[in-house]
Amino acid sequence: MLLSASFAALAAALAGAHAQFLPVSGAPSGSSSLSLSISPSSAPSSAASSSFSLPTTVSAPSTASGPSSGSVLSTVSGPSSTSAPASSASGSISISAASSVSLPSSASGSVSADTLAGWQTLSVSSYGFSSFAVPSPSALPGVFPVYFPAAPPPVDNEGTGLVPDFAPAWEVAYAKAEALVAQLNVVEKVNITTGVGWENGRCVGNIAAVGEFPGLCLEDSPLGVRDTDFVTAFPAGITVAATWNRTMMRLRGLYMGQEHRGKGVHVALGPMMNLGRVAQAGRNWEGFSVDPFLSGETAYETVLGLQQAGVQACAKHYINNEQEYKRTQESSNVDDRTQHEIYLKPFLRSVQAGVASVMCSYNLINDTYACENDHTLNVLLKGELGFRGYVMSDWGAQMSTLSAVAGLDMSMPGDIALGSGTSWWGTNLTAFVLNDTIAEARLDDMATRILAGWYLLGQDQNYPNVSFNAFLPNLASENAHVDVQGDHYKLVREIGAASAVLLKNTPGALPLSKPRSVVLVGSDAGDAPMGPNGFADRGGDAGVLAMGWGSGTANFPYLISPLDAIQDRAREDGSVVSWWLNDWDTDGAASAALGFDVALVFVNADSGEGYISVDGNLGDRQNLTLWNNADELIQAVASVNPNTIVVAHSVGPSIVEPWIDNPNVTALIWANLPGQEAGNSIADVLYGAVNPSGRLPYTIAKNLSDYGTGLVLGGDADTIISIPYTEGLFVDYRHFDQENITPRFEFGFGLSYTLFEYENLHVHKAKQYDDTYSDLEAQWAQGLPTPAVEGSSVAIWLHRPAFTIDFEVQNTGGVAGADIPQLYVHFPAGSGEPPSLLRGFSDVYLWPGETKKVTFTVSRYDLSVWDVPSQSWVLPNGTFALSVGASSRDFRLSGTFPL
């Protein structure tokens, strides 16, 4: 979220280049496009004054310049001179400049930076507004029941197919919001939409009080409350996704929500749900998975949990924000089918969970910035998904006053550049409304959406006051040091253990059984010399790695290292423990490991947000090697110790080829980013207190080039680079399957200390006791397009269970443990879909010899493709097959759908 200094300077420069599109006072409603050049600080004399106030200094962290390799693309000093006419469509404006660029959906291969990207924006004209139509589907008991955020549907690890109906809750919230907005004047409504400016409030984002509305505190992060103390440092998003356990996903969201609320935060800036298209991308660890289904389910449960606690969730970063390099100066060029079938899905699930807010991202989509992109904001999000909440900008991602027309509802933090004292909105939005450039009805809609989110979560009733200052944490008068941790450490420890993925285990290596002697090797085994919070925003790699770096972090209240936890266990077992924490003295490490019963080598790989550079990595990883001399360290230890066990705390996939086949490397655990209980979590797995059940939420390749997608580099300070998503639908395991590339460890893979068998597969049409949508369902079954109307992509008939798949899982080993059965659908040949697509998963705990029945549901949406010409979800012609198994390449049962 945090804006880099380089972009702050760029934004300030661009403010002079294209001004703020200030209109001529009293411009007629039918005026033609205008090209004005008015300084950012000036305003028409007739404009009403807003109460907007900003500091005069920029306070943004510095960042080193990025890589300079690659093709240099088009240089821009402002928006394209081509203006797009506005027309009324779907209850909103529709700008042709923001329409998607058609790219081949079946293309594959590496990304190249050889396509010119131009910057398209809106022209100053007069824009009308009519409200979006609100879908009003019929409630269906047991399928589409009414729920309120404070009492969401119960969690089910199998995923029942139930779709909660939050429409009544939104109706109540909207009625209250509309009543309040009706009492406000233009300036007051503008102030509800415009942040007070960087460092001009106690939270990272602030909306000022207006009348009876007390304002809003917006605060990071997706893994805990940032910039304050006495909070829990939860496992990262990628970690909870690796559990494949919906209960843990929901509880993590709930506990994080409780802590945000306890600190007085109204809007928790998460979850993050970008998809990790590029394995090296710096912020992948904040999100969940490369797979849209797994990511969507984790986002859904997280939103439900957060909002059950009474805090507003914020789905981010919308959309296609898939690398850190030049994130403010890159256009992600994505075809319509790929957008719908991959990148939009987690946001769709968040809308179904009733998410109150969405954050638009820094990048451009098809040559239009995300925060003024009519197609993605109005057409897709508010129209097709029927989103009733509000859209906020990422910090400094707003590019013009007319972003209000394109669908932006809230400017964060309010300034053009952090601390600049200027704003696209505030006084300028007031002027645009008063001279009819922007309809007051649209301003009413913006304020209503924001207030509706506040009312939806019941924040108008007995909500705690903000008790901290994110910018002045040591100022006694501003920080009450409220302890909101509760016993949340217990869940942190459980998730850390449940997410650990056992990738290799030579018989007898794990679990450890009272070894007489243990040596721990590697700095990741111990504590950081400067403490767990010694690096600002965790921007460094020392000691055990429990989260990445950037705005998606929180302060550790403490951090348990593996060395701490294993020494505690060794005391119980009577074991001898030694350690060697110097990564670079491999001779010393080999000497230290000689003669011990077991050598535990702890390694890691870090990444984060691009405003911080760590060891030359500007957010994104330069490669996929493990850090701190890890490969050499592991090989040195393995050369002298025949029982070398590797534990990797990693932000994502890393290449393990130099040593994975070494017979002296007897086991490998992928421990992700486990949060403050890191050491206890891994000790639980190593010693068998927890049977590992984590599964990879991405593919670990043999070579970086195997992924088929990579960072797009190049350009200079004035360049917008183009990132063509020419791989289309074929990302991660879908690409590996399509191209028949053998990975080192496939998506969904993970071992256990026991064995599981599958049997008795049955596939049925789901029982349906109503014919409410029978015409649409029959139309779909014939492969015909269905109406493209508001809310069409979240229609209940599309998402209700259409088929049930049941089978049995048995624990055939000698140890109790959880299995993660996975359902994959194989679309008909000629559909253009990847060979296998995840469509279900569960977490099933079984005692030795125990058998349980597992049931998955599959919807019509799950069996549809996005048809671009008709703009609807369509059933492809042909036979649909399915497989149930233990990973994306380990299928145990197979069948077909009775279509």
Side-chain angles (χ1 to χ4, degrees), residues 276-310:
R277 170 183 176 266
V278 178
Q280 300 159 261
R283 301 184 74 177
N284 289 351
W285 58 273
E286 293 184 43
F288 301 122
S289 172
V290 297
D291 181 79
F293 184 87
L294 178 56
S295 183
E297 294 305 289
T298 316
Y300 173 83
E301 297 295 349
T302 303
V303 169
L304 289 178
L306 282 165
Q307 298 199 160
Q308 182 179 352

Side-chain angles (χ1 to χ4, degrees), residues 671-686:
N672 302 294
L673 302 173
Q676 67 192 44
E677 290 281 328
N680 286 331
S681 295
I682 195 61
D684 288 343
V685 174
L686 287 168

Side-chain angles (χ1 to χ4, degrees), residues 603 625-636 655-656 658-659:
V603 295
T625 60
L626 291 162
W627 285 31
N628 296 326
N629 204 39
D631 291 339
E632 288 72 18
L633 186 68
I634 293 166
Q635 292 178 87
I655 304 301
V656 298
W659 45 267

Side-chain angles (χ1 to χ4, degrees), residues 399-678:
M399 286 294 169
S400 74
T401 305
L402 285 174
S403 56
V405 176
L408 184 67
D409 301 302
M410 178 187 288
S411 173
M412 275 292 134
D415 2 38
I416 293 176
L418 301 190
S420 65
T422 60
S423 177
W424 292 119
W425 284 0
T427 304
N428 297 308
L429 179 56
T430 302
F432 269 48
V433 172
L434 290 178
N435 70 13
D436 295 328
T437 300
I438 295 175
E440 187 170 354
R442 170 60 184 133
L443 177 61
D444 290 346
D445 177 61
M446 295 157 65
T448 299
R449 286 174 175 272
I450 294 167
L451 291 172
W454 181 63
Y455 282 119
L456 179 73
L457 277 301
Q459 294 179 341
D460 57 321
Q461 302 292 324
N462 303 314
Y463 205 79
N465 294 324
V466 179
S467 61
F468 65 99
N469 189 312
F471 303 104
L472 301 170
N474 297 316
L475 183 62
S477 62
E478 296 277 313
N479 295 276
H481 307 289
V482 176
D483 188 343
V484 294
Q485 299 170 91
D487 62 355
H488 299 164
Y489 71 92
K490 295 179 181 178
L491 180 67
V492 173
R493 181 170 181 169
E494 290 172 3
I495 291 176
S499 63
V501 186
L502 182 63
L503 295 177
K504 180 180 181 179
N505 192 22
T506 302
L510 290 176
L512 300 177
S513 181
K514 297 184 178 181
R516 289 180 59 82
S517 59
V518 181
V519 62
L520 286 76
V521 177
S523 62
D524 189 74
D527 298 315
M530 69 292 292
N533 300 313
F535 295 110
D537 288 342
R538 314 296 81 80
D541 184 17
V544 60
L545 183 66
M547 66 176 70
W549 75 75
S551 64
T553 59
N555 289 332
F556 288 104
Y558 61 81
L559 178 54
I560 304 297
S561 72
L563 181 56
D564 295 333
I566 289 172
Q567 286 193 95
D568 287 344
R569 179 59 189 249
R571 183 170 56 247
E572 297 177 15
D573 293 347
S575 302
V576 172
V577 177
S578 186
W579 56 89
W580 181 269
L581 306 184
N582 187 331
D583 299 314
W584 300 92
D585 184 351
T586 54
D587 290 340
S591 297
L594 186 64
F596 279 80
D597 289 347
V598 56
L600 301 173
V601 184
F602 287 83
V603 295
N604 66 42
D606 203 357
S607 72
E609 198 166 357
Y611 69 88
I612 296 175
S613 176
V614 178
D615 196 24
N617 296 269
L618 278 162
D620 304 315
R621 288 187 281 171
Q622 295 179 335
N623 49 53
L624 291 187
T625 60
L626 291 162
W627 285 31
N628 296 326
N629 204 39
D631 291 339
E632 288 72 18
L633 186 68
I634 293 166
Q635 292 178 87
V637 172
S639 69
V640 299
N641 193 300
N643 191 19
T644 297
I645 295 172
V646 178
V647 176
H649 290 108
S650 182
V651 293
S654 294
I655 304 301
V656 298
E657 294 309 296
W659 45 267
I660 189 62
D661 290 325
N662 187 325
N664 285 354
V665 176
T666 55
L668 169 61
I669 298 176
W670 214 252
N672 302 294
L673 302 173
Q676 67 192 44
E677 290 281 328

